[in-house]
Amino acid sequence: MSHAWSLIENASLKPLNTFHVEATAPLLLQVDEAQALPAALAHPAVAGEPLLALGSGSNVLLAGDPDGVVLVFGNRDIRTLEHRSDHAIVRAGAAVPWHQLVMASLQAGLSGLENLALIPGTAGAAPIQNIGAYGAQVDEFVHAVEAYDRVEGRFRRLDREQCRFGYRDSLFKHEPDRYLVVALELRLPLLAELRLDYAGIREELAAMGVTQPVAADVAQAVINIRRRKLPDPDRIGNAGSFFKNPVLPLEQVQVLQHAYPGLPVHPGSDDGKRKLSAAWMIEACGWKGHRDGDAGVSADHALVLVNHGNASGRELLALARRIAESVRERFGVVIEPEPRLVGATW
Ligand code: FAD
Ligand code: EPU
């Protein structure tokens, strides 16, 4: 008889994080079917232990071994729950690779996710930091997040409002490890207005020879740009942007713009706020391409920390702290890590 879940002791997490750093999970719990989760969590070796859910580890820095149990899901089903004349509701199991979901939705004639093509990771993790790229964020399409609530001990459906999404932010980040996301439901339009204004998309479409783009063309343009700009974690360990772009009050931004006219500034969450480019400030501090042993900053993108081979999580964290400190000294701006730190605090 096959079990819907399994436990492995002292499991290496190296294959489970895109920085490819070494760490060991005292217990690795693999749950293939969401219904099996309550029984697995009640197992004597698991109950009462700290629990860390992992998808494909593309937004974590393992700076030490996690305590307790690391949970990974196995459900890779994609289903269409509802298909109307103007939209469909698509449900993806937690372990569905995000990019696969994007491509499947486009192939089914749905749009909306094209600007989010090629983001690594799983569907289950997408709402945790509200993934975003090229002028879109996943929260715009979230119909519901189905999660096991470890405080209430039951499955819950959270609608978009309840998830309290923000820029790289959600309820799930504020109550870490309370909600174990088992499925993501997206409401996708059949015809969305294409978003072509983010830097580089129109130019890339022109280079592709596309004059009347459809959603799939935008996805391909985004894929092309991302392949050029960001290092491939299969070739060089990284977790994408290591720092969030700081969102600051307009008055502070104006002072900075005056002192540094080249500093890129983007709209913030509201009129009184603006988002600054952390990459630009890090590059201005001279870090781009810097290397401390195997821990480094990508030569292609200043916001991306890279593992050239055998860097440890601690070495990468030490480098990240020095970078943040130099940005604070030079610009008076505090930047914060985007990936979740495991085994250390910032
Ligand atoms: P993990 O790294 O495994 O986990 C991330 C967080 O989610 C952790 O806190 C973890 O505990 C939690 N978590 C994971 N699964 C679950 C679950 N089922 N239930 C509850 N909690 C869970 N992000 C963007 O937003 N935009 C980008 O453009 C982007 N580009 C990237 C490019 C590269 C090359 C890389 C390596 C990363 C990039 N990222 C980007 C970051 C990353 O892809 C996303 O954050 C992604 O959603 C992480 O998915 P994951 O499955 O790897 O999650
Ligand atoms: N820049 C530099 N030096 C560099 C790279 C960029 O100065 O080495 C400046 C340039 O002026 C450039 C600007 O920074 O125009 C913005 O760069 P980019 O378009 O690459 O965007 P980003 O702000 O660095 C954000 C997200 C990415 C997302 C891209 C595209 C955050 C923290 N990062 O990066 O998300 O893919 O926009 O939308 O918001 C991630 O979260 O892991 C991630 C990769």
Side-chain angles (χ1 to χ4, degrees), residues 249-331:
L250 182 56
E251 305 80 68
Q252 189 184 352
V253 172
Q254 283 165 341
V255 174
L256 281 164
Q257 269 185 307
H258 188 71
Y260 304 97
L263 176 64
V265 176
H266 305 286
S269 42
D270 59 65
D271 275 356
K273 300 248 173 79
R274 295 289 183 276
K275 198 194 280 176
L276 299 184
S277 166
W280 191 91
M281 291 187 281
I282 292 169
E283 181 167 347
C285 290
W287 290 104
K288 195 167 176 174
H290 174 92
R291 208 171 152 163
D292 283 344
D294 277 351
V297 177
S298 169
D300 298 326
H301 203 301
L303 205 48
V304 181
L305 260 59
V306 289
N307 176 7
H308 287 283
N310 293 311
S312 67
R314 285 198 185 286
E315 286 164 347
L316 287 157
L317 180 60
L319 175 60
R321 287 187 176 131
R322 287 174 56 210
I323 294 170
E325 187 50 27
S326 72
V327 168
R328 196 188 59 76
E329 272 173 17
R330 169 115 179 238
F331 296 98

Side-chain angles (χ1 to χ4, degrees), residues 18 52-60 73 119-122 125 128-129 131-133 168 179-181 226 231 233 238-240 338 340:
T18 60
L52 168 72
L54 271 192
S56 43
S58 64
N59 212 31
V60 290
F73 286 106
I119 298 180
T122 55
I128 306 296
Q129 77 152 354
I131 56 169
R168 299 293 189 269
Y179 297 99
L180 305 172
V181 176
R226 294 183 65 101
N238 76 87
E338 177 187 286
R340 173 165 184 184

Side-chain angles (χ1 to χ4, degrees), residues 69-251:
V69 181
V70 170
L71 166 68
V72 288
F73 286 106
N75 184 346
R76 290 181 172 226
D77 290 344
I78 301 178
R79 277 191 294 144
T80 303
L81 299 184
E82 182 180 307
H83 210 300
R84 298 281 167 84
S85 58
D86 64 337
H87 76 271
I89 299 204
V90 175
R91 179 182 166 97
V96 170
W98 173 259
H99 181 64
Q100 189 184 317
L101 179 58
V102 172
M103 296 317 275
S105 72
L106 291 169
Q107 271 150 23
L110 302 169
S111 51
L113 303 185
E114 54 277 2
N115 296 55
L116 302 174
L118 213 66
I119 298 180
T122 55
I128 306 296
Q129 77 152 354
N130 184 18
I131 56 169
Y134 295 90
Q137 293 189 128
V138 72
D139 72 284
E140 298 165 51
F141 305 99
V142 169
H143 178 63
V145 171
E146 192 174 311
Y148 184 80
D149 179 344
R150 292 174 67 219
V151 171
E152 294 192 8
R154 64 182 178 100
F155 286 101
R156 287 177 57 186
R157 279 174 68 81
L158 300 161
D159 64 21
R160 179 174 188 254
E161 208 60 20
Q162 288 170 307
C163 293
R164 289 201 268 123
F165 290 116
Y167 163 63
R168 299 293 189 269
D169 199 20
S170 71
L171 161 79
F172 310 109
K173 275 200 161 178
H174 293 269
E175 296 189 69
D177 307 321
R178 171 171 176 177
Y179 297 99
L180 305 172
V181 176
V182 296
L184 174 67
E185 290 179 11
L186 300 175
R187 187 185 199 278
L188 299 174
L190 262 63
L191 256 187
E193 206 173 306
L194 298 180
R195 270 171 264 189
L196 309 175
D197 290 332
Y198 197 96
I201 295 186
R202 283 184 200 279
E203 293 81 346
E204 185 60 32
L205 286 167
M208 286 160 58
V210 176
T211 47
Q212 292 191 313
V214 295
D217 299 318
V218 176
Q220 191 57 51
V222 168
I223 290 169
N224 295 348
I225 299 169
R226 294 183 65 101
R227 287 210 170 115
R228 276 202 301 273
K229 272 194 166 181
L230 292 167
D232 175 0
D234 286 342
R235 294 181 51 232
I236 181 162
N238 76 87
S241 301
F242 193 86
F243 295 98
K244 290 183 276 192
N245 285 324
V247 179
L248 300 176
L250 182 56
E251 305 80 68

